[in-house]
């Protein structure tokens, strides 16, 4: 888990992933890792992460929230098979973003 102070550029601009305030969380899923980056935006300028380093997480668990105008980037292994399409709306805790190939992890949904 890593928190970085930064600017509050429009979160939809590519450079916001480098320059904006953000929290990066990496989850060791036993065989692969999944990371997500909460990036603060221009308007709300607020990210909330309820996790601490070493916490155990469960599938579908709420890990924090992102305020209006901010964004979340999810980084998954290259082997993952995407279950969503570009521009599709997803809902935290219930939308399946990707699946891992058989043999990587039982029930391997992200």
């Amino acid at each position: 888990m890593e928190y970085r102070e930064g600017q509050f550029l429009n979160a939809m601009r590519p450079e916001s992933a480098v320059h904006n305030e953000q929290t990066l969380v990496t989850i060791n899923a036993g065989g692969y890792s999944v990371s997500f980056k909460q990036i603060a935006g221009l308007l709300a300028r607020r990210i909330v992460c309820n996790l601490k380093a070493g916490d155990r997480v469960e599938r579908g668990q709420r890990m924090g929230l992102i305020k209006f105008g901010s964004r979340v980037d999810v980084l998954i292994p290259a082997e993952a098979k995407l279950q969503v399409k570009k521009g599709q709306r997803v809902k935290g805790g219930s939308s399946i973003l990707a699946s891992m190939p058989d043999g990587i992890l039982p029930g391997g949904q992200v």
Side-chain angles (χ1 to χ4, degrees), residues 95-108:
S95 297
I96 297 172
L97 304 179
S99 297
M100 292 302 290
D102 289 339
I104 300 285
L105 187 71

Side-chain angles (χ1 to χ4, degrees), residues 6 12-13 23 30-31 63-65 71 89 103 106:
M12 297 306 127
R13 292 173 53 188
T23 299
M63 298 177 197
L65 63 105
R71 81 175 204 227
R89 289 187 179 259

Side-chain angles (χ1 to χ4, degrees), residues 9-83:
L9 305 172
N10 179 332
M12 297 306 127
R13 292 173 53 188
E15 58 270 19
S16 69
V18 176
H19 299 295
N20 281 22
E21 175 180 303
Q22 57 193 263
T23 299
L24 173 68
V25 176
T26 300
I27 300 168
N28 178 345
Y32 65 93
S33 295
V34 173
S35 299
F36 65 89
K37 185 186 282 194
Q38 296 173 294
I39 303 170
L42 179 65
L43 299 175
R45 299 182 177 206
R46 182 114 192 265
I47 51 180
V48 177
C49 185
N50 300 327
L51 298 176
K52 299 181 302 296
D55 282 355
R56 182 174 176 82
V57 296
E58 300 290 328
R59 185 179 303 150
Q61 175 183 334
R62 183 174 292 237
M63 298 177 197
L65 63 105
I66 196 82
K67 303 282 185 164
F68 179 76
S70 301
R71 81 175 204 227
V72 176
D73 291 351
V74 180
L75 306 139
I76 58 176
E79 305 84 25
K81 182 174 189 263
L82 292 179
Q83 302 295 316

Side-chain angles (χ1 to χ4, degrees), residues 83-99:
Q83 302 295 316
V84 293
K85 294 182 177 13
K86 183 177 180 177
Q88 181 179 339
R89 289 187 179 259
V90 297
K91 184 174 180 183
S94 62
S95 297
I96 297 172
L97 304 179
S99 297

